[in-house]
Amino acid sequence: FFLFTRSETTNLRLRLNIMDKIFNNIPLPERNPQSEYYCGGGCSMLLFENAEKAELVKECEKLKNAGFELYQKNGIHSNLFFTFRKDITVHLSFFSALKQFRIIADPCISEYQREEIQVKHTSPTVLWQFEVDHSLIDCGMCYIIRCRDGSFFVIDSAHFYSINDDIRIINFLKKQSGEKKPRVAGWYFSHCHEDHVDKFLDILRFHRDEISIDTLYYNFPSMECKGSECWDYASKIKLKLFEDEIKKHPDIKSVRLHAGQVFFVKNIKITVLCTHEDVYPASFEDFNNTSTAIVAETENTRILFPGDCSVESDKVLCKAYENDLKCDIVQVSHHGHTGCSSEFYEYAGAKCALFPVTSIKFDEDYPRHKANRRAIELAREWYVASNGTVEIPLPYGSKKTTVYPDETKEDWNGIYQLWCYEYTDEIKENSFWNKNRHFSVTKKEQRLSK
């Protein structure tokens, strides 16, 4: 309660004190930044507009001369990223098309794997679009990639109204690993909405001894960032609950992500494209714009995960990366609701589009959102999560996909009692027919011709 009722003056003073302290021992450019941003978790950022590459180069030299060690450097499209470490982490990013130069000071100095780990090849690498329980809720997202050694890289989880999905996820990992206690080598979270983090939190609370978790990867914003006054109470409290729960498990390593970073989870290479830090100074009135976007590469396959990236995130991704968004498989942003643009999917050019949504909501959104239709037009195949868990062997190749039998059904009475949604008999009947819809290139053409 105290956290949400402190005065704005007190909050501003605390943020400024943190920022003054963290930048005190970092050599900075001669000109003043256009703005300062408290990212949360003690992490702060200076933003320089109308920037040139020379400023980044000069700042790198200053950091080296001050005793900072270069930890990682990367270039994507015409953008440059450098990470330096000393007693804190300093991350530099230069987005050429945006003419923006950022200096991020992060007290978190956790190591992350910068090179592929050579592991014993005991299992084929596979991607699953997991069918989250949609009996009472139409949103939620969980993707699972099995690494060569049988461990997993998991993306998000499910909503608290997906009642048994903590158990279902663990049982699925057990089945696909053949282990009584499956190992998650990395668990990544796109953002802190309840339909993405809640079942993970339940796994920590109730099933911690049933699963091994090595490292968490995420970057969540401060509850006081620009536009946060428009967030619903659930989003604000979820940020605090997540961090509080993580602190109870110090055996699980956490890595804060920044744009341009590259890390490996066994044989999977993950590149961070965008976080809320890169969306700033745009407003975060839409909480979905705090989503992190990544691309995962393994077995000669690129998989693009924008999470729930929305309008402001989309602007950054399209303008900063353009054709470097090219991928084989794309997760459709924000469940196919208002998310990324048609331009985003054109740059991605994915052969396979994955919709983490129910077939009912998919049918509602299809005629309304041009971006969804464009993603499908470009794809050879596309799959809706509620129709059954989708298994895609990697490397990716069309016609190799398997769709598991549908495991959950809409609870019409429960949905009405919970949400006051009343569906017609026609929708109810079609929803069960929809369970058998899985789209290859020929069926896609039939759909588009209607």
Side-chain angles (χ1 to χ4, degrees):
F1 177 79
F2 172 77
L3 183 64
F4 298 117
T5 56
R6 293 182 302 184
S7 71
E8 286 300 315
T9 302
T10 302
N11 287 338
L12 178 60
R13 188 181 301 116
L14 288 171
R15 293 198 300 270
L16 290 176
N17 286 340
I18 290 172
M19 294 181 75
D20 286 343
K21 182 178 180 181
I22 200 168
F23 285 111
N24 189 46
N25 296 316
I26 300 174
L28 298 175
E30 296 175 2
R31 70 176 174 123
N32 292 325
Q34 271 62 47
S35 55
E36 301 176 350
Y37 175 55
Y38 177 62
C39 311
C43 182
S44 299
M45 182 181 80
L46 303 178
L47 173 62
F48 298 85
E49 302 274 12
N50 300 313
E52 300 293 337
K53 178 182 175 182
E55 289 186 87
L56 173 72
V57 174
K58 191 172 183 179
E59 182 64 18
C60 288
E61 289 302 316
K62 285 185 176 182
L63 289 169
K64 289 177 183 178
N65 292 336
F68 282 82
E69 177 188 1
L70 178 61
Y71 185 70
Q72 188 176 61
K73 64 179 180 179
N74 189 24
I76 310 173
H77 202 57
S78 56
N79 313 304
L80 296 172
F81 309 93
F82 291 81
T83 301
F84 290 86
R85 298 179 64 190
K86 193 176 179 182
D87 50 346
I88 63 172
T89 299
V90 178
H91 186 70
L92 311 178
S93 65
F94 172 69
F95 286 96
S96 178
L98 303 174
K99 294 188 178 298
Q100 293 178 337
F101 171 41
R102 289 172 170 80
I103 302 177
I104 300 170
D106 188 348
C108 178
I109 55 174
S110 297
E111 296 275 349
Y112 53 88
Q113 185 63 38
R114 290 169 287 170
E115 297 180 355
E116 181 177 347
I117 299 175
Q118 298 300 320
V119 296
K120 188 176 181 180
H121 197 159
T122 61
S123 304
T125 306
V126 175
L127 165 68
W128 288 279
Q129 176 174 252
F130 185 75
E131 179 204 347
V132 298
D133 185 350
H134 51 91
S135 302
L136 297 173
I137 189 76
D138 56 28
C139 57
M141 173 174 127
C142 183
Y143 290 90
I144 299 167
I145 303 178
R146 185 175 61 202
C147 306
R148 289 176 178 173
D149 66 349
S151 64
F152 299 96
F153 178 60
V154 183
I155 297 170
D156 290 347
S157 58
H159 199 285
F160 57 83
Y161 281 128
S162 295
I163 305 297
N164 296 313
D165 273 3
D166 47 342
I167 298 172
R168 290 180 66 241
I169 290 171
I170 287 179
N171 286 341
F172 185 85
L173 296 177
K174 288 180 178 179
K175 178 180 178 181
Q176 299 302 333
S177 66
E179 302 289 338
K180 291 183 178 180
K181 188 174 183 178
R183 179 183 180 186
V184 175
W187 205 315
Y188 160 77
F189 302 96
S190 61
H191 65 302
C192 204
H193 261 150
E194 57 267 27
D195 60 322
H196 293 256
V197 303
D198 259 81
K199 283 299 139 177
F200 165 75
L201 295 179
D202 280 351
I203 286 173
L204 290 187
R205 292 173 184 137
F206 308 119
H207 310 283
R208 186 66 189 90
D209 59 343
E210 297 180 47
I211 188 170
S212 173
I213 303 173
D214 293 351
T215 308
L216 309 180
Y217 301 91
Y218 63 97
N219 186 344
F220 296 161
S222 163
M223 286 184 286
E224 298 155 8
C225 65
K226 181 181 177 182
S228 62
E229 65 275 5
C230 299
W231 296 350
D232 58 81
Y233 179 77
S235 296
K236 291 182 177 181
I237 195 64
K238 196 62 62 181
L239 284 166
K240 187 172 189 306
L241 290 175
F242 185 94
E243 294 294 348
D244 288 348
E245 189 63 38
I246 295 306
K247 290 176 183 177
K248 298 176 184 177
H249 303 274
D251 57 308
I252 304 176
K253 182 179 174 181
S254 292
V255 174
R256 190 196 310 274
L257 302 177
H258 304 289
Q261 286 177 325
V262 176
F263 64 94
F264 284 82
V265 176
K266 302 304 176 71
N267 57 300
I268 305 170
K269 176 185 177 183
I270 298 101
T271 303
V272 183
L273 299 178
C274 178
T275 77
H276 61 94
E277 296 159 349
D278 312 294
V279 175
Y280 178 85
S283 174
F284 297 106
E285 181 176 341
D286 180 354
F287 189 79
N288 289 319
N289 283 312
T290 69
S291 289
T292 296
I294 63 170
V295 59
E297 299 176 76
T298 184
E299 312 293 0
N300 296 314
T301 302
R302 284 174 57 90
I303 312 165
L304 184 55
F305 294 103
D308 277 8
C309 281
S310 196
V311 176
E312 298 301 335
S313 307
D314 176 79
K315 292 176 184 176
V316 175
L317 290 166
C318 290
K319 194 167 184 179
Y321 296 107
E322 296 183 343
N323 291 323
D324 278 329
L325 294 172
K326 182 70 176 176
C327 62
D328 300 290
I329 302 170
V330 65
Q331 168 247 313
V332 176
S333 177
H334 194 204
H335 316 279
H337 311 324
T338 303
C340 288
S341 63
S342 297
E343 183 182 22
F344 173 84
Y345 296 107
E346 287 167 2
Y347 282 135
K351 303 167 189 173
C352 178
L354 302 176
F355 288 80
V357 71
T358 62
S359 57
I360 292 176
K361 292 302 292 183
F362 173 86
D363 286 341
E364 289 179 2
D365 287 329
Y366 185 84
R368 297 186 298 190
H369 298 310
K370 178 182 176 182
N372 290 3
R373 299 195 298 275
R374 189 61 182 137
I376 289 172
E377 287 169 0
L378 294 165
R380 295 177 182 172
E381 53 185 350
W382 48 284
Y383 299 92
V384 177
S386 71
N387 296 341
T389 294
V390 179
E391 178 179 285
I392 305 176
L394 303 179
Y396 171 73
S398 59
K399 300 184 180 179
K400 293 183 179 180
T401 303
T402 300
V403 181
Y404 292 11
D406 179 31
E407 293 183 350
T408 64
K409 303 287 191 295
E410 282 81 3
D411 178 353
W412 304 113
N413 184 55
I415 290 172
Y416 179 76
Q417 292 183 359
L418 191 60
W419 306 107
C420 295
Y421 293 167
E422 182 65 80
Y423 291 103
T424 65
D425 290 340
E426 181 182 4
I427 288 177
K428 292 177 182 179
E429 291 173 4
N430 284 343
S431 73
F432 292 107
W433 173 76
N434 286 346
K435 305 308 174 189
N436 297 318
R437 293 187 312 176
H438 309 302
F439 297 96
S440 64
V441 64
T442 52
K443 290 188 178 181
K444 181 196 74 172
E445 290 167 350
Q446 292 173 7
R447 166 79 178 186
L448 294 175
S449 66
K450 293 182 180 181

